[in-house]
Amino acid sequence: MCLAPALHAQPAWPSAKPITIIVPFTAGGSVDSTARLLADQLSLRLKQSVVIDNVGGAGGTIGVGKAASAVPDGYTLVMGADSPIAIAKYVNPAGVRYDPAKDLAPVALVNTAPMVLVARPSLPASNLAEVVALAKKEPGKLSYATSGIGTVLHLGMEMIKRQGQFFATHVPYRGGAQIATDVIGGQVDLAMLISVSAAPHIQSGKLKGIAVTSAQRLPTLPNVPTVSETPGFKGYDVVSWTGLFAPARTPPAVVERLNQEVNAVLAQPAVRAKLQDQGAVPGSGSAADFSRFVTREQQRYAQVVKAANIRE
């Protein structure tokens, strides 16, 4: 049975009022720029105004919560990211008032972005195996920075520690701007950074590239191995991601139409090039595919948070 012609023959939204995409972070960041790129193209394809509403605060949970409680009519969406969707509820169960598994309908995976473990130039380790050996030789001495407790960067490193069976001290920052500077200066030994932030410093020799968290090496950093290439870390694959969500109980026809249109936007060469310039890999797939992906991420991070006893 083919639904596509019916979906395109009838307007998915009964009136011409604007569609709002909530961005749960302040303007100017990577999620915001991705949302604006998507909104511009969706507006052209849907022939309907698509506007951005920046609702920052509490690591993205305020904006996602606003979307979760919105009327499920297709006029309010949210550009959700890994932390407020798949992690925050486990780290701060009392503070997160929505249940991402029940209160949101996954629409489409917009992009993924690998992370890179980097080290200060003077650290006597140049790859992950040497970092593990150093950490085991001097337990608790190594420190690593991330952009905050309960971020995907934090949990990605906790998974490396767990799989490698070593300890390193977490130094959480309020955002990532200062991290590279402090690692370059030697105040912190290691850091987990999004690839687009790490690449320039590695390429210039200011930071050591230890390992990439995705399953494949990055074209921009061909000499930096993946975590999974290191003995003992087979199967390790962790990426940051962003996706479009609607409130739960949004009509399936609206979710399906949006999924088709988002995939069409992400297939455009100009859009793909802009995302790749930001260090991101354009997403694709059905709403059901994305829903399964989100469920796997939630289950995986719930285990990591419990095992590492992470609390905010």
Side-chain angles (χ1 to χ4, degrees):
M1 187 168 109
C2 182
L3 294 178
L7 289 170
H8 286 286
Q10 299 178 350
W13 295 269
S15 74
K17 71 178 184 179
I19 297 167
T20 298
I21 297 179
I22 294 172
V23 173
F25 304 101
T26 54
S30 60
V31 176
D32 179 66
S33 62
T34 299
R36 291 177 188 278
L37 176 64
L38 185 65
D40 289 345
Q41 296 303 316
L42 282 178
S43 182
L44 293 173
R45 293 189 63 84
L46 296 170
K47 297 180 172 55
Q48 193 150 336
S49 178
V50 181
V51 299
I52 298 297
D53 180 18
N54 291 97
V55 183
T61 59
I62 294 175
V64 173
K66 181 178 179 180
S69 62
V71 177
D73 57 4
Y75 289 101
T76 303
L77 309 169
V78 62
M79 188 64 82
D82 36 62
S83 182
I85 299 292
I87 300 173
K89 185 70 175 176
Y90 308 117
V91 174
N92 186 12
V96 178
R97 304 298 177 88
Y98 57 89
D99 184 340
K102 296 179 180 178
D103 299 335
L104 295 168
V107 173
L109 177 64
V110 176
N111 63 35
T112 60
M115 301 172 287
V116 184
L117 180 63
V118 299
R120 58 181 169 87
S122 57
L123 188 74
S126 298
N127 56 52
L128 184 54
E130 292 177 357
V131 166
V132 173
L134 187 63
K136 289 182 175 180
K137 182 180 177 182
E138 301 177 276
K141 186 174 180 181
L142 280 185
S143 59
Y144 75 95
T146 74
S147 57
I149 295 171
T151 60
V152 68
L153 299 156
H154 178 199
L155 268 65
M157 185 61 186
E158 286 297 326
M159 291 169 71
I160 289 175
K161 288 165 58 179
R162 187 179 175 191
Q163 206 161 335
Q165 299 181 324
F166 69 93
F167 178 76
T169 301
H170 182 213
V171 183
Y173 281 64
R174 294 180 65 85
Q178 187 63 29
I179 293 176
T181 301
D182 285 0
V183 180
I184 291 169
Q187 285 95 325
V188 189
D189 297 309
L190 303 157
M192 190 71 89
L193 299 174
I194 293 293
S195 57
V196 70
S197 300
H201 299 297
I202 296 170
Q203 290 162 343
S204 67
K206 292 180 180 178
L207 288 174
K208 288 183 181 180
I210 299 297
V212 176
T213 65
S214 53
Q216 290 84 32
R217 293 193 185 197
L218 295 175
T220 52
L221 298 170
N223 296 322
V224 179
T226 65
V227 172
S228 60
E229 290 178 56
T230 305
F233 291 90
K234 184 178 179 181
Y236 183 98
D237 182 10
V238 180
V239 293
S240 175
W241 54 266
T242 304
L244 193 66
F245 293 80
R249 297 175 296 283
T250 296
V254 173
V255 172
E256 181 66 20
R257 174 77 187 279
L258 281 167
N259 174 268
Q260 292 177 2
E261 299 297 352
V262 170
N263 282 332
V265 170
L266 295 174
Q268 296 174 13
V271 172
R272 297 182 71 83
K274 286 185 179 179
L275 290 174
Q276 288 163 352
D277 285 346
Q278 297 171 6
V281 178
S284 65
S286 68
D289 291 336
F290 183 41
S291 181
R292 286 188 288 269
F293 170 83
V294 171
T295 298
R296 288 194 302 270
E297 291 286 279
Q298 290 166 340
Q299 292 171 343
R300 163 162 81 164
Y301 289 133
Q303 293 174 354
V304 176
V305 169
K306 184 179 180 179
N309 194 28
I310 298 169
R311 288 290 180 267
E312 191 171 9

